[in-house]
Amino acid sequence: MIRPILEYGDIIFDNCSGKDSDTIDNVQHQAALICSGAIARTSRRKVAEEVGWDSLQNRRLMHKLTYMYKIVNGLLPPYLLRLCPPLVSDITNYNLRNQGNLSMFGLNIRTTRFKNSFLPSTIAAWNKLDFLYSVQVVLAFLNIT
């Protein structure tokens, strides 16, 4: 009921300030308190465990990665597909370890604000996916043994 309102356009405002992010998280926390019936002084972690909701930051990251998936695989209109940078293997003739990664070539990243905006931050997260997946597999294995 409140989450769609909080998540509308979240891939755009993901680079908001820490204060703005805290304000949005407070709205979710208040909604979680109401849904769980917990008292106002209950810790955020316990309330989040009770309702089983992901943090808004994690959901924004997943939305950004989902959108990048759609861009990379041509599932969006052409004007958005033009945002997709080339793969590293398309730029160089060398056999590099990161040849499957999206290139940051051509993105003149001079400010932190631009670095945290949709395209640069999502490309960086997209390029880390393989590493993050392998870390999750290792952690799952360690929990089993």
Side-chain angles (χ1 to χ4, degrees):
M1 101 187 126
I2 191 81
R3 185 170 266 179
I5 295 168
L6 294 176
E7 292 179 347
Y8 182 77
D10 61 353
I11 62 173
I12 303 299
F13 67 80
D14 185 39
N15 67 335
C16 64
S17 68
K19 181 181 176 187
D20 293 336
S21 181
D22 290 343
T23 302
I24 295 168
D25 287 340
N26 283 336
V27 173
Q28 177 172 326
H29 179 68
Q30 291 298 319
L33 285 174
I34 292 168
C35 291
S36 66
I39 59 174
R41 297 199 187 269
T42 308
S43 76
R44 289 181 181 270
R45 184 183 53 79
K46 288 183 180 180
V47 173
E49 287 174 6
E50 176 73 25
V51 294
W53 294 349
D54 286 337
S55 70
L56 289 176
Q57 181 178 7
N58 287 343
R59 291 187 57 88
R60 286 192 296 263
L61 176 63
M62 293 309 298
H63 288 152
K64 286 169 48 171
L65 291 173
T66 302
Y67 213 75
M68 183 55 78
Y69 173 84
K70 291 178 182 180
I71 289 173
V72 168
N73 291 296
L75 302 174
L76 294 174
Y79 67 91
L80 290 173
L81 297 181
R82 284 185 226 119
L83 292 175
C84 186
L87 294 173
V88 171
S89 60
D90 295 339
I91 295 173
T92 182
N93 294 328
Y94 296 105
N95 190 11
L96 302 173
R97 283 181 277 175
N98 66 344
Q99 66 186 1
N101 287 356
L102 294 173
S103 170
M104 292 271 215
F105 183 74
L107 293 177
N108 190 9
I109 302 173
R110 292 179 294 171
T111 62
T112 305
R113 175 170 246 159
F114 181 61
K115 179 183 175 187
N116 294 331
S117 67
F118 172 73
L119 198 57
S121 67
T122 307
I123 291 171
W126 182 264
N127 289 340
K128 289 179 187 175
L129 276 179
D130 192 27
F131 173 73
L132 292 176
Y133 178 74
S134 63
V135 169
Q136 289 175 350
V137 169
V138 169
L139 290 176
F141 175 76
L142 290 175
N143 286 337
I144 291 173
T145 58

